[in-house]
């Protein structure tokens, strides 16, 4: 490992180990090692589209499993270091990896979940009794019908939690993300180009409140010039040694 990279990893680990309100913000880049394409990477969905190329190959999303980066975030939570996780991803891999709902905001939804417009309850399509062949995809823009299942708690309308273009973000998740970002002392961006708003406003809220801003993304972001630490390396080369160093600093038993 290059000495400069090692120094940056050690510094990131020190900030995380000493933090009391670490917020992690993830984008599509964290899921590429699970086989899913990102959007603006060299072989990303939008990159290929703009070049007149077909979409990149992808396994069925419901068959994809979390990778080491997802599980390392869980380890930070188990160490008591992660205060909150904000994600732009709809792949559901953070939930699959073991992050509880109360510690996670999925700002653009989750392909495996429905959401009640009345009370905000989240539940799987199976729990909702929603048959996509019979009832359709259930997007917000879809016309509701009387035969559609309703929320088991409040009888409110159930919709697919995925936020499509033109849909508003879920206000409860958005407000909580903004609050946690503004109260963070370390804000760690992993695998996001930070160009989709309002989600990409979170690093600004954190930075304005005095948080250390760490960005780990192979492509450029609008926040590169104000980041306290900027990694352009792969997530697999940076996140594991950071978390390993945090373990050493906080005295986690490696044999656990």
């Amino acid at each position: 490992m290059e000495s400069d990279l090692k120094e940056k990893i050690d510094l990131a680990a020190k900030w995380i180990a000493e933090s009391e309100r670490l917020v992690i913000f993830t984008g599509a880049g964290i899921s590429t090692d699970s086989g899913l394409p990102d959007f603006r990477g060299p072989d990303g969905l939008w990159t290929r589209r703009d070049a007149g190329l077909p979409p990149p190959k992808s396994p069925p999303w419901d068959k994809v499993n979390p990778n080491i980066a997802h599980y390392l975030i869980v380890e930070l939570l188990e160490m008591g270091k992660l205060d909150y996780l904000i994600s732009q991803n709809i792949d559901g891999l953070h939930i699959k990896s073991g992050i509880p709902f109360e510690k996670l905001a999925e700002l653009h939804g989750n392909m495996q979940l429905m959401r009640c417009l009345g009370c905000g309850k989240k539940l799987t399509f199976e729990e909702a009794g929603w048959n996509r062949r019979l009832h359709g995809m259930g997007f917000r823009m879809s016309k509701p019908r009387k035969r559609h299942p309703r929320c088991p708690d409040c009888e409110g309308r159930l919709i697919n939690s995925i936020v499509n273009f033109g849909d508003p973000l879920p206000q409860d998740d958005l407000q909580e993300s903004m609050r946690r970002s503004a109260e963070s002392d370390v804000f760690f961006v992993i695998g996001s180009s930070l160009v989709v708003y309002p989600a990409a406003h979170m690093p600004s809220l954190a930075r304005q409140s005095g948080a250390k801003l760490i960005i780990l993304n192979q492509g450029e972001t609008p926040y590169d010039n104000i980041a306290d630490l900027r990694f352009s390396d792969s997530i697999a080369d940076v996140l594991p040694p950071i978390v390993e160093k945090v373990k050493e600093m906080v005295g986690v038993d490696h044999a656990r």
Side-chain angles (χ1 to χ4, degrees), residues 6-25:
K6 184 181 185 303
E7 289 175 8
K8 289 165 64 178
I9 285 171
D10 289 348
L11 184 56
K14 179 178 184 292
W15 289 346
I16 291 171
E18 294 175 351
S19 72
E20 295 182 357
R21 297 177 305 280
L22 167 68
V23 171
I24 292 178
F25 181 101

Side-chain angles (χ1 to χ4, degrees), residues 144-218:
R145 302 186 184 280
K146 290 183 179 179
R147 58 186 173 84
H148 286 170
R150 309 288 290 188
C151 174
D153 285 4
C154 74
E155 287 293 311
R157 180 190 171 194
L158 294 175
I159 63 167
N160 192 314
S161 71
I162 291 176
V163 177
N164 287 309
F165 289 110
D167 290 346
L169 268 62
Q171 285 302 302
D172 50 352
D173 280 354
L174 179 60
Q175 293 299 321
E176 184 67 4
S177 296
M178 293 174 66
R179 182 181 75 82
R180 299 275 189 156
S181 298
E183 293 177 355
S184 65
D185 53 13
V186 175
F187 193 95
F188 191 1
V189 177
I190 303 175
S192 174
S193 56
L194 298 174
V195 296
V196 179
Y197 284 83
H201 184 53
M202 306 300 167
S204 179
L205 292 174
R207 197 70 176 79
Q208 289 169 13
S209 300
K212 299 287 189 185
L213 176 59
I214 306 171
I215 298 177
L216 169 53
N217 191 64
Q218 290 189 298

Side-chain angles (χ1 to χ4, degrees), residues 81-122:
K81 298 314 305 178
L82 178 65
D83 183 53
Y84 203 64
L85 174 60
I86 304 168
S87 183
Q88 295 173 294
N89 299 340
I90 64 169
D91 53 38
L93 294 182
H94 284 305
I95 291 291
K96 238 183 200 182
S97 71
I99 297 290
F101 282 127
E102 62 269 19
K103 287 289 185 179
L104 172 66
E106 294 176 303
L107 294 179
H108 297 160
N110 184 320
M111 63 179 298
Q112 300 167 358
L113 298 177
M114 302 200 80
R115 180 168 59 89
C116 174
L117 284 179
C119 66
K121 182 181 179 68
K122 297 174 183 176

